[in-house]
Amino acid sequence: QPLYVSGLNIPGQGTHNVVFVATEHNDVYAFDADSNSGANGGLLWHVNLGPSAATPSPDFGTRYGAYGALVPEVGITGTPVIDSGSGTLYVDAFTHEGTNYFHKIHALNITNGMERPFSHVVVSASIPGTGVEGANGVVTFEAKQQIQRGALTLAGGILYVTYAGYDDTNPYHGWIIGFAATNLEQLPNYIFNTTPNSPISDYGADAGEAGIWMGGGGLAVDENTNLYFTTGNGSFNAFNGFNGTEFGDSFIKLSTDGGLSVADYFTPYNQAYYAENDLDVGSGGVVLLPDQSGEFPHLMIGGGKPGFGYLMNRDMMTAGNNHYNSGSAMDAVLQTFSLNGGIFSTPAYFNHRIYFAASGDKLLAFSLSNGALSAAPVSIGPRTFGFPGATPSISANGNNNGIVWAIQRANPAVLTAYNATNLTSEIYSSAQASGARDQLPEGVKFAVPTVANGKVYVGTKGGLYVFGLLGGAIQFSAANYTAPDTNGTVTITVNRSGGSIGGAQVSYSTVNGGTAIEGVDYDAASGILNWTNGDNSPKNFDLTILGGAPSGENKTIDLALNNALGAILGTPSTAIVTIMESSYSLWKFDHFGTNADNPDIAGNLADPDNDKIPNILEYAFASDPNAFTPGSAISGAVANNHFQLTFNRNSSATDLTYVLQATTSFTNAWKSLMTYTSYSGWTTNAPGINVSESAAVGSPPDQSVRVTLTDPTDLQNAEPIRFFRLQVWH
């Protein structure tokens, strides 16, 4: 499942809402959650956590042949967990290194993807036991046999990671392993094994097992940091009053007080039948419900492959602690109810309703009143969800405007949405738009839509897809604008993209933070831009620039968009206008300092050193206007019967144009032979003319190159008189 963090400061990239994605290639990505613009498509950072295990594989999960349930590789399967306080993402990566397989726990800085100093650690655990994968009274965690499917969980400063088996290939167990969140130290007292004492001699070839699957769901945690989860088929001996240790096909509550210990549990009366027929009670996740009215305020709900759901009092999961009612065809829980397919998903809760989408069934809503579920669904959706069903997500405005989102696994996958109070018709599906506008690629098992900030994030076999409001997003057309340091205006463009349904507006303003001075370098600006329904044309506003005296540096103005209505703020929602000092102004400031704005000293035709070369030409030829250097700055010579003009060009002068011209008589028109601008370099207006430039010498603003222009005219066969001149334009 994608994870979302708002307002995250990414070093060197500003503040972003961020969506995190982990893949079976052992990659973790952080994307801008609101925009895929830019060279990297919205990617903020990416790390790889080691070589994944290629599949199909004969090395593990071989119960039904070479493992192929996940192809073409297995790496990160369980959803990571983020500690927003420390800004750390925790994730389990399965790696294949040489002939060895490992589970490794990584702790990543969510701002840049870098490993925390204490990361990573290799998962290794052992507990006392006589069961499979054990020797000498100790059962040891074997990475190759254990898949990490369930979402990671943080509770009470401990990171909990759960495990099951690859394709039920024995031997394997259900494991919960706890790590200190601050340093990833594996905590010996925080290890739980669902079947530690089940040898083959007592339980047969399928001894052990009882993996923690839960359709990818994580451990549920109450306010006292008790852990709740379900297990799959496997060995069982926790009969009432027996103090058993094997918990196949069970709902379990673990206390975390000083370590992990079973505080309560429930096992269906027909557990043996379920175990023999691969009917995992723990194929789906569990939900701890908000406090309810009635005799039992603290409720838990969940279900599994047999197609039964269970509503339990989590303060005492079974009446009279009748954990396993083997002598009856009934279970001692508050309610058992039947769905029309196996449960491989986690139900959702909203406004006293429970939502299930079982495998091969429709989306169902049951009402919850005084601690009891309605005997039949109160609302049924129109779409059938094939294997493995769907885990719904709810978005709402408080208790109002609830929407139920679900992903139908198919090829292509379909994102669906329903009114939470009436499921009878879809209010949206990704298959409804014409031209396959919203079409997804192939879906994956157990995918859950993540809903945040007006967007829905969907993980598929092909990538991450983001659905947003059709009102669109409003953003600046660029993050950076420039304006010359002269009196005038610069036009700022704001775009609306990604949708135009309904009217929209946004406020713009200049804001503090830039180096330019309001009222001296620019006039403050603010206002509102409006779009009508269907309008996605660019909108503009003008910013007035007040040309000032040369200061020797560029100045900046900060702009911001705020208070978007009818659309969301896109990226960029802030921008910078740079007031560019001209090259000539920088040159003047460098040579004249505080007199750079004095026309008698720094004017274009002023000649403060009295060498008959005015400032504009001193600038053009990169000479010193304060040093007396009489004589021409241009020289001419004849080489091989061709005239050559040589001069120094100020390569720092990006605002000048140099033009070489020729004529045969002052009464005739001058003909341009070559032209130079900083944008186009030298361009020729006469065939055969040649130009060469030396390497640059000096430093800005007086960096120069030596230019040699060679006229193509053969002087032996030309007119007896030929005149040349160099024009310089500013």
Side-chain angles (χ1 to χ4, degrees):
Q1 178 179 4
L3 299 177
Y4 178 93
V5 175
S6 63
L8 190 60
N9 185 21
I10 304 296
Q13 302 184 70
T15 299
H16 298 261
N17 298 325
V18 182
V19 59
F20 299 88
V21 183
T23 78
E24 296 291 352
H25 193 63
N26 281 332
D27 288 319
V28 181
Y29 297 90
F31 291 100
D32 186 307
D34 301 315
S35 173
N36 62 355
S37 62
N40 295 323
L43 178 65
L44 301 171
W45 58 256
H46 156 244
V47 294
N48 180 266
L49 301 180
S52 58
T55 56
S57 173
D59 289 352
F60 59 92
T62 56
R63 185 167 187 164
Y64 308 108
Y67 179 77
L70 290 169
V71 291
E73 57 192 333
V74 179
I76 300 169
T77 303
T79 300
V81 65
I82 292 175
D83 179 0
S84 57
S86 68
T88 303
L89 180 147
Y90 300 91
V91 63
D92 178 290
F94 184 59
T95 64
H96 185 193
E97 302 175 40
T99 60
N100 298 315
Y101 292 86
F102 301 94
H103 281 282
K104 297 180 178 181
I105 307 299
H106 296 262
L108 307 179
N109 183 329
I110 62 174
T111 68
N112 56 22
M114 295 181 63
E115 299 265 11
R116 293 300 189 189
F118 50 83
S119 177
H120 65 274
V121 298
V122 175
V123 177
S124 62
S126 61
I127 58 169
T130 59
V132 292
E133 287 187 305
N136 301 318
V138 175
V139 175
T140 303
F141 178 88
E142 176 56 53
K144 187 171 68 172
Q145 296 299 111
Q146 307 287 162
I147 189 173
Q148 201 291 296
R149 177 185 284 181
L152 278 62
T153 302
L154 275 171
I158 298 176
L159 171 70
Y160 294 100
V161 189
T162 65
Y163 297 90
Y166 284 101
D167 264 358
D168 281 340
T169 300
N170 291 305
Y172 75 92
H173 303 271
W175 289 86
I176 300 176
I177 304 176
F179 302 84
T182 54
N183 59 12
L184 291 186
E185 177 188 358
Q186 197 268 302
L187 303 173
N189 290 340
Y190 288 86
I191 302 174
F192 181 78
N193 185 297
T194 59
T195 51
N197 297 299
S198 49
I200 293 175
S201 59
D202 292 344
Y203 292 91
D206 295 337
E209 302 189 346
I212 301 173
W213 307 97
M214 301 207 300
L219 302 170
V221 187
D222 67 17
E223 62 184 1
N224 297 314
T225 66
N226 296 304
L227 308 180
Y228 300 81
F229 62 99
T230 56
T231 64
N233 55 277
S235 302
F236 178 78
N237 70 2
F239 305 105
N240 292 329
F242 183 70
N243 293 324
T245 59
E246 314 304 287
F247 287 94
D249 286 307
S250 299
F251 287 75
I252 302 175
K253 173 183 179 179
L254 293 184
S255 169
T256 62
D257 187 11
L260 298 182
S261 60
V262 175
D264 202 353
Y265 68 97
F266 156 65
T267 307
Y269 72 90
N270 49 353
Q271 183 275 335
Y273 173 80
Y274 289 165
E276 290 172 3
N277 292 276
D278 191 23
L279 293 172
D280 301 55
V281 169
S283 60
V286 298
V287 171
L288 309 188
L289 301 177
D291 287 359
Q292 301 293 312
S293 59
E295 184 180 357
F296 306 109
H298 303 142
L299 301 178
M300 176 174 70
I301 194 167
K305 276 186 187 180
F308 290 105
Y310 303 92
L311 182 68
M312 284 161 278
N313 169 21
R314 66 177 188 265
D315 294 329
M316 181 183 287
M317 293 168 67
T318 53
N321 281 327
N322 187 10
H323 305 290
Y324 175 60
N325 195 13
S326 60
S328 171
M330 296 181 62
D331 293 311
V333 294
L334 297 180
Q335 266 181 283
T336 300
F337 55 96
S338 178
L339 300 177
N340 299 315
I343 301 170
F344 297 84
S345 55
T346 302
Y349 172 89
F350 177 69
N351 270 7
H352 301 284
R353 288 192 175 193
I354 304 292
Y355 300 86
F356 273 100
S359 179
D361 199 4
K362 300 178 185 299
L363 179 65
L364 308 178
F366 296 84
S367 64
L368 181 65
S369 178
N370 292 320
L373 284 178
S374 57
V378 295
S379 190
I380 301 175
R383 181 182 295 268
T384 298
F385 291 83
F387 176 78
T391 291
S393 290
I394 310 293
S395 64
N397 180 11
N399 291 324
N400 301 312
N401 307 121
I403 298 174
V404 184
W405 301 88
I407 301 170
Q408 182 184 45
R409 183 197 177 207
N411 190 9
V414 182
L415 174 67
T416 62
Y418 306 86
N419 183 334
T421 61
N422 182 1
L423 305 179
T424 55
S425 62
E426 289 181 349
I427 58 177
Y428 171 78
S429 90
S430 58
Q432 73 186 42
S434 61
R437 183 194 67 193
D438 298 343
Q439 182 172 297
L440 291 166
E442 184 177 356
V444 293
K445 291 186 291 185
F446 316 125
V448 183
T450 297
V451 187
N453 195 31
K455 293 185 175 63
V456 182
Y457 303 89
V458 177
T460 71
K461 190 172 182 179
L464 173 70
Y465 288 76
V466 184
F467 294 79
L469 302 173
L470 287 176
I474 299 175
Q475 60 275 319
F476 286 111
S477 62
N480 294 280
Y481 301 88
T482 60
D485 192 10
T486 57
N487 291 327
T489 60
V490 56
T491 298
I492 308 299
T493 301
V494 179
N495 293 330
R496 182 188 190 186
S497 61
S500 59
I501 293 179
Q505 70 176 41
V506 72
S507 300
Y508 67 86
S509 63
T510 51
V511 295
N512 295 331
T515 59
I517 300 173
E518 179 186 329
V520 175
D521 300 305
Y522 71 97
D523 284 339
S526 62
I528 296 175
L529 301 175
N530 291 281
W531 287 261
T532 59
N533 181 35
D535 180 14
N536 62 357
S537 60
K539 307 299 179 186
N540 301 317
F541 66 90
D542 288 335
L543 182 63
T544 299
I545 306 298
L546 307 175
S551 63
E553 60 182 11
N554 298 328
K555 291 161 280 191
T556 59
I557 307 168
D558 286 0
L559 304 175
L561 299 176
N562 290 289
N563 303 320
L565 298 176
I568 63 173
L569 278 182
T571 301
S573 60
T574 60
I576 296 174
V577 178
T578 301
I579 303 175
M580 303 293 293
E581 285 271 329
S582 70
S583 300
Y584 193 20
S585 294
L586 295 173
W587 181 87
K588 287 183 179 180
F589 190 84
D590 187 73
H591 287 285
F592 302 124
T594 57
N595 287 317
D597 201 40
N598 183 340
D600 294 333
I601 295 175
N604 289 352
L605 300 181
D607 183 17
D609 58 5
N610 296 311
D611 60 2
K612 308 304 181 184
I613 304 175
N615 285 331
I616 187 65
L617 291 182
E618 298 264 23
Y619 170 57
F621 300 133
S623 54
D624 189 346
N626 295 309
F628 182 79
T629 53
S632 176
I634 308 174
S635 63
V638 175
N640 298 322
N641 294 319
H642 292 271
F643 178 74
Q644 290 184 332
L645 184 72
T646 303
F647 65 95
N648 288 337
R649 178 179 65 79
N650 189 340
S651 57
S652 305
T654 58
D655 50 358
L656 293 182
T657 299
Y658 299 79
V659 183
L660 175 64
Q661 297 180 323
T663 185
T664 57
S665 169
F666 288 127
T667 60
N668 295 335
W670 288 88
K671 179 181 179 182
S672 295
L673 304 180
M674 291 204 78
T675 303
Y676 175 88
T677 69
S678 61
Y679 304 104
S680 60
W682 285 104
T683 57
T684 180
N685 306 104
I689 194 167
N690 178 265
V691 62
S692 64
E693 291 190 341
S694 69
V697 296
S699 58
D702 293 320
Q703 190 176 65
S704 66
V705 295
R706 190 69 173 166
V707 181
T708 300
L709 296 165
T710 303
D711 182 52
T713 303
D714 187 335
L715 297 180
Q716 285 188 335
N717 302 311
E719 297 87 348
I721 299 176
R722 191 163 172 81
F723 299 95
F724 295 88
R725 74 180 182 187
L726 181 69
Q727 284 192 333
V728 178
W729 302 345
H730 178 255

